[in-house]
Amino acid sequence: MTVMETDGIDMAGESDESLELTLDRMFEWLEELPVPEGFKAEIVGGNVFMSPQRDTHWEIIRRIVRALQDRFGMDVRVLSDVRIDFPGQLNGFAPDVVKLSANANKADGRWRYEDVEFIAEVIAKTTATNDYGPKKAAYAIADVPVYLIVDPYTGRCRVFSEPKNGEYTVDRTVAFGEEIDLTGTEAGLTIKTDEFPRG
């Protein structure tokens, strides 16, 4: 074993190249940590965020996935909590719901952000600023056609669509109880919210 001194810190068996911060390296470290069961881990702008998966959270995700399956069939390419790397500095997200294009293919073992047609995030109080801030910006830069944020605390949904030059040009708010009409978008479906739980 070799011992290197890097900035005054002894690093056993580490070369400068292996210290380079990458998403893959950061996720490897996360896999070695005792992340509690029921928590989702994401890397947003090089920062690790863990948020608990609550019953309310899952119930809304389940209803969105069901709406996608009802509209596009059981073979629709839908993911939940699967890592996809997005543009920007160290952005490895695991969105709550992702619909991929029918002809989506993996590259280097991962789904490509270029094949994403729709994303839904159900906010948690601890990570809401990510959903409305850096993740929304990354999705717009990646030209994700439709981005839905569901907020069970306020009973409202925000629909962002028509990305252009790294920003969403359309922003609509829909209250729980109303239908989210995405038929005029690339998502091409309607999502009922009347049974979305609150809180």
Side-chain angles (χ1 to χ4, degrees):
M1 176 190 314
T2 60
V3 177
M4 287 179 42
E5 190 170 293
T6 307
D7 295 327
I9 300 171
D10 290 337
M11 303 296 290
E14 297 280 349
S15 67
D16 287 338
E17 188 175 300
S18 67
L19 291 175
E20 182 183 338
L21 195 59
T22 66
L23 279 173
D24 288 339
R25 183 74 174 130
M26 291 181 77
F27 276 106
E28 286 172 15
W29 290 335
L30 275 174
E31 289 174 11
E32 295 171 8
L33 293 175
V35 177
E37 186 174 331
F39 277 73
K40 173 172 97 170
E42 293 184 297
I43 299 172
V44 180
N47 298 299
V48 176
F49 291 89
M50 285 188 251
S51 56
Q53 301 289 50
R54 300 175 12 254
D55 292 348
T56 300
H57 193 93
W58 168 242
E59 184 66 24
I60 293 170
I61 291 169
R62 187 178 67 82
R63 290 182 184 283
I64 294 170
V65 170
R66 179 64 188 263
L68 287 163
Q69 289 173 336
D70 287 349
R71 171 65 178 89
F72 298 104
M74 290 300 290
D75 292 330
V76 64
R77 291 199 178 198
V78 176
L79 309 173
S80 181
D81 293 341
V82 173
R83 174 184 163 190
I84 299 175
D85 297 345
F86 284 89
Q89 178 73 23
L90 299 174
N91 285 326
F93 304 156
D96 292 324
V97 181
V98 174
K99 179 187 179 291
L100 298 170
S101 64
N103 60 353
N105 291 303
K106 288 184 176 183
D108 298 322
R110 285 193 191 75
W111 295 106
R112 302 170 340 118
Y113 73 83
E114 294 92 341
D115 295 323
V116 173
E117 294 181 342
F118 168 79
I119 289 179
E121 298 278 15
V122 182
I123 70 159
K125 285 183 179 178
T126 55
T127 57
T129 55
N130 287 340
D131 294 326
Y132 285 108
K135 289 174 82 173
K136 180 181 140 227
Y139 295 151
I141 291 167
D143 285 328
V144 172
V146 180
Y147 174 38
L148 169 66
I149 298 176
V150 180
D151 186 339
Y153 305 103
T154 64
R156 290 194 169 91
C157 303
R158 295 274 297 275
V159 181
F160 300 95
S161 60
E162 299 183 31
K164 186 174 183 179
N165 299 324
E167 293 186 3
Y168 284 107
T169 61
V170 177
D171 175 1
R172 290 186 299 130
T173 300
V174 178
F176 280 21
E178 300 174 9
E179 288 189 344
I180 303 170
D181 184 358
L182 303 175
T183 53
T185 71
E186 200 162 326
L189 79 155
T190 300
I191 301 172
K192 295 181 178 180
T193 67
D194 53 334
E195 294 187 20
F196 280 7
R198 301 270 309 243

